[in-house]
């Protein structure tokens, strides 16, 4: 295995998760729920995922100077993710996500960005790693600064959907979207000829290059318990597999297995699988 250094550039949240049998519709209340808090945030989730896959990982992001931060960082600290360059703000709260999960594992997420929204270009310096994996829960100008002169691998998961992806596309080694995001970014991506991964939930994922399918995986069906964080783990696994020089097919298999395993447990970071667990599942595809 090639020894890599990866930087996850993104958000850090504390997730407040309620599992109910169905998701609430507007103006309605669903009772009988089960509540937990979990460390989350797309950037933090990716950092824990790559670390658990055996990759030396740094997380660049921001938290508030509060108890939410202690809880949000607990698994990252325990796993040995490098947090030495995190920014801690005294005057803003750590990011918070309210997550509803139904009995099919489907979720709804509302985020109060807090410190993540205040993580600006001046908070980052030169990044010493083989790759950057990032998402859209921090200001896009911070991402632009990080990747514009960067020489390594750049994975962009433009989630949630925001304007501004077009400015970042020239620097991307791979763009990773789900089906909804693929539709939302249709116009922006119409001129993109680089590597593009589109995830399709339980239906697997497709990898395109130059708009042509180069790999397509449909994993065995597994009943989902909680799909939250599956996309983050998929992005982490696909990125490091490509960086390690795996074939498109192998990389997509590994990423689909990683994402599928996350759906088997409640919560985001507690559900992140280890490399041997991912390899065991992907060998059955
Ligand atoms: O992708 C899942 C993540 O989205 C959650 O952990 C939540 O914090 C939101 O950022």
């Amino acid at each position: 295995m090639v020894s890599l250094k990866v930087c996850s550039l993104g958000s850090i949240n504390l997730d407040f998760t309620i599992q109910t049998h169905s998701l609430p519709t507007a103006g309605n209340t669903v009772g009988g729920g089960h509540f937990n808090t979990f460390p989350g945030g797309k950037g933090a989730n990716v950092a824990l995922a790559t670390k658990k896959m055996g990759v030396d990982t740094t997380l660049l992001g921001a938290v508030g100077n509060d108890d939410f931060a202690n809880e949000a960082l607990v698994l990252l600290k325990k796993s040995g993710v490098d947090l030495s360059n995190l920014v801690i703000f005294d005057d803003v709260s750590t990011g918070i996500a309210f997550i509803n999960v139904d009995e099919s594992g489907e979720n709804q997420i509302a985020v109060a960005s807090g410190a993540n929204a205040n993580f600006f270009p001046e908070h980052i310096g030169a990044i010493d790693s083989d790759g950057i994996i990032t998402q859209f829960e921090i200001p896009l100008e911070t991402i632009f600064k990080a990747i514009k002169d960067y020489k390594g691998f750049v994975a962009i998961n433009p989630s949630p959907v925001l304007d501004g992806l077009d400015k970042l596309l020239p620097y991307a080694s791979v763009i990773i979207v789900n089906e909804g995001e693929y539709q939302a970014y249709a116009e922006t991506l119409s001129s993109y000829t680089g590597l593009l991964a589109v995830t399709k939930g339980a239906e697997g994922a497709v990898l395109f290059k130059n708009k042509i399918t180069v790999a397509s995986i449909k994993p065995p069906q597994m009943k989902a318990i909680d799909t939250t964080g599956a996309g983050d783990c998929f992005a982490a696994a696909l990125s490091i597999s490509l960086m390690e020089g795996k074939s498109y097919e192998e990389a997509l298999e590994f990423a689909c297995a990683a994402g599928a395993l996350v759906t088997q447990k409640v919560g985001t970071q507690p559900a992140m699988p280890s490399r041997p667990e991912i390899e065991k599942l992907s060998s059955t595809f």
Side-chain angles (χ1 to χ4, degrees), residues 11-17 38-45 95-99 107 109-111 116 135 137 157 159-160 227-233 267-269 272:
S11 59
I12 302 161
N13 293 332
L14 184 62
D15 292 349
F16 288 73
T17 300
F38 298 110
K42 297 183 194 304
N45 295 345
I96 294 293
F98 276 14
I99 304 179
N107 65 41
I109 306 180
V111 172
N116 299 305
Q135 322 77 26
E137 287 191 325
N157 170 213
S159 178
T227 55
T228 319
D232 304 333
C233 192
T268 43
Q269 290 180 32
M272 292 301 166

Side-chain angles (χ1 to χ4, degrees), residues 87-99:
V87 177
I88 302 171
F89 293 115
D90 283 328
D91 51 350
V92 224
S93 159
T94 297
I96 294 293
F98 276 14
I99 304 179

Side-chain angles (χ1 to χ4, degrees), residues 111-169:
V111 172
S113 301
N116 299 305
N118 290 265
F119 184 55
F120 291 122
E122 61 265 31
H123 296 120
I124 57 169
I127 295 175
D128 171 29
S129 67
D130 302 298
I132 295 175
I133 307 172
T134 191
Q135 322 77 26
F136 278 12
E137 287 191 325
I138 57 170
L140 301 201
E141 58 263 41
T142 308
I143 297 173
F144 183 70
K145 179 182 175 189
I147 65 175
K148 76 176 181 349
D149 296 317
Y150 184 72
K151 299 285 177 257
F153 182 93
V154 174
I156 303 176
N157 170 213
S159 178
V161 173
L162 293 176
D163 287 341
L165 174 61
D166 50 338
K167 204 176 166 199
L168 304 176
L169 280 182

